[in-house]
Amino acid sequence: MFITLEGSEGAGKSTLIEHLKKYFLNKKIEFIFTKEPGATAEGAELRKILLDKTIELDSLSETFLLLADRLEHVRKIINPALEENKIVLSDRYLDSTYAYQGAGREINKDELDRFIKPLNFPEPDLTIYLDLPVDEGLKRAQGRDKLDRFEEEEIDFFERIRNAYLKLAKENSHRIFTIDSTNSETKVFELARDCIEKKLNES
Ligand code: TYD
């Protein structure tokens, strides 16, 4: 089963991931944890460019680097693990590109689809989207390490991203489960766990 986690800055993905890892280990469920960008050695090099704020990238170049990272990720990590029937838990995946490059960088959806569709990336069975008002997320993210190329953006960029995620969740309700991230850490985990258990029982 392929599970992805999505959300914008400060939405609490890292905390949820720690809870989910413990949960899978306790339950002795075989899983791999992975992330984008930068899960493969090749992707780690692409990630350096993507996050480096001294590098100015055209939005389409940024997209192509992210797609190259994803192609390496899918071929070398995701597909082999799915073939072994493992649970794959990925911190960010395809929806990030529609939200950040589509809405954030304002690349038209048809244009994005033109580049993405031929790559035949597998669709997640379940996507957990952690939703948080933008000002709240940015407040939480402040005071962490220095800002990267994305975190430096204006508030409007993040508003567009949040709206895009909410729209994606509406249009893909068969796989995207939204969790209100203003809930407590425990509640967010419990909601995610219940949803994963339900999917596991269905499959
Ligand atoms: P990262 O440090 O992994 O942060 P986060 O905790 O927010 O996941 O940074 C990854 C950044 O890359 C993040 O700001 C979102 C961005 N990104 C895109 O813009 N498009 C994508 O398709 C992906 C996978 C990530």
Side-chain angles (χ1 to χ4, degrees):
M1 186 162 92
F2 185 20
I3 306 172
T4 61
L5 295 180
E6 296 284 352
S8 57
E9 317 306 306
K13 281 190 291 115
S14 309
T15 311
L16 175 60
I17 287 161
E18 287 318 306
H19 283 291
L20 290 177
K21 282 183 182 170
K22 273 191 215 140
Y23 163 75
F24 287 136
L25 285 173
N26 281 339
K27 284 250 165 185
K28 300 196 167 47
I29 296 174
E30 259 204 282
F31 77 101
I32 63 153
F33 169 72
T34 185
K35 69 170 290 171
E36 289 193 359
T40 60
E42 298 71 19
E45 296 302 312
L46 297 171
R47 178 184 169 92
K48 283 185 205 156
I49 303 173
L50 281 160
L51 298 192
D52 184 345
K53 58 185 174 196
T54 67
I55 295 179
E56 253 186 64
L57 282 177
D58 182 274
S59 300
L60 279 183
S61 310
E62 177 181 287
T63 305
F64 292 138
L65 293 184
L66 285 158
L67 295 182
D69 171 70
R70 184 160 305 135
L71 199 64
E72 296 297 317
H73 190 202
V74 164
R75 294 200 173 160
K76 292 180 176 150
I77 297 179
I78 296 177
N79 279 344
L82 290 176
E83 274 158 28
E84 288 173 23
N85 280 325
K86 288 186 180 145
I87 290 189
V88 175
L89 180 62
S90 181
D91 179 1
R92 296 197 182 281
Y93 185 65
L94 254 184
D95 297 303
S96 282
T97 309
Y98 286 101
Y100 280 74
Q101 281 61 51
R105 302 288 191 222
E106 299 181 281
I107 300 175
N108 177 294
K109 175 159 189 303
D110 289 341
E111 193 171 7
L112 269 189
D113 277 341
R114 197 150 59 86
F115 305 130
I116 293 175
K117 296 286 178 203
L119 300 172
N120 285 323
F121 293 131
E123 185 182 56
D125 299 295
L126 174 65
T127 297
I128 294 172
Y129 164 56
L130 297 185
D131 181 57
L132 193 66
V134 172
D135 50 353
E136 184 92 10
L138 293 179
K139 238 187 272 160
R140 287 195 198 173
Q142 265 168 13
R144 289 188 189 162
D145 1 336
K146 19 183 198 37
L147 300 184
D148 64 36
R149 226 169 47 80
F150 293 97
E151 291 161 344
E152 271 202 331
E153 289 294 331
E154 302 291 324
I155 193 147
D156 285 0
F157 176 78
F158 296 106
E159 291 287 0
R160 289 198 297 278
I161 288 171
R162 181 180 185 214
N163 290 333
Y165 270 131
L166 290 169
K167 187 158 176 262
L168 280 165
K170 232 189 220 162
E171 290 167 354
N172 296 276
S173 56
H174 62 287
R175 74 169 170 90
I176 304 185
F177 180 71
T178 304
I179 295 181
D180 176 350
S181 216
T182 60
N183 278 304
S184 70
E185 193 182 308
T186 312
K187 180 76 183 166
V188 169
F189 162 64
E190 286 168 357
L191 289 166
R193 178 202 59 199
D194 291 351
C195 176
I196 290 172
E197 279 182 355
K198 190 161 161 260
K199 271 277 168 186
L200 281 172
N201 291 333
E202 278 168 19
S203 65

